[in-house]
């Protein structure tokens, strides 16, 4: 899976709770694998989660701190 495909499929695989028939597929596995292996998409995903929480990544030193500080 490439980064463009990962980002295109992001909404499908982040609408929790995910039914097993969604995540337990070759595409679902590829999406999770890409998240774990691609640093750029991992950070992009963290930024999306921070934004969903109503915060701005730019207000923090890095996306990782933003993610952890804004978490519940």
């Amino acid at each position: 899976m490439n980064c463009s495909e990962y980002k295109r499929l992001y909404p499908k695989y982040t609408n929790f709770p995910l039914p097993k028939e969604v995540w337990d597929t070759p595409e679902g596995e590829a999406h999770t694998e890409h998240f774990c292996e691609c640093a750029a998409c991992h950070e992009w995903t963290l930024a999306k989660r921070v934004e969903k929480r109503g915060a701005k990544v730019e207000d923090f030193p890095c996306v990782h701190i933003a993610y952890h500080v804004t978490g519940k």
Side-chain angles (χ1 to χ4, degrees):
M1 175 170 295
N2 63 38
C3 296
S4 295
E5 189 173 4
Y6 174 86
K7 290 175 182 178
R8 182 181 63 78
L9 292 171
Y10 176 78
K12 179 178 180 179
Y13 291 103
T14 56
N15 188 16
F16 299 111
L18 287 178
K20 184 176 181 176
E21 57 271 6
V22 173
W23 62 263
D24 192 19
T25 63
E27 182 183 76
E29 290 178 22
H31 194 266
T32 299
E33 185 176 304
H34 187 83
F35 169 77
C36 293
E37 294 179 356
C38 178
C41 284
H42 185 88
E43 290 189 3
W44 179 86
T45 300
L46 294 181
K48 287 292 190 187
R49 291 175 182 172
V50 169
E51 291 168 6
K52 188 174 182 179
R53 295 171 180 169
K56 295 180 182 178
V57 173
E58 302 81 34
D59 293 341
F60 299 90
C62 70
V63 70
H64 299 277
I65 291 174
Y67 176 76
H68 288 291
V69 169
T70 62
K72 296 179 181 177

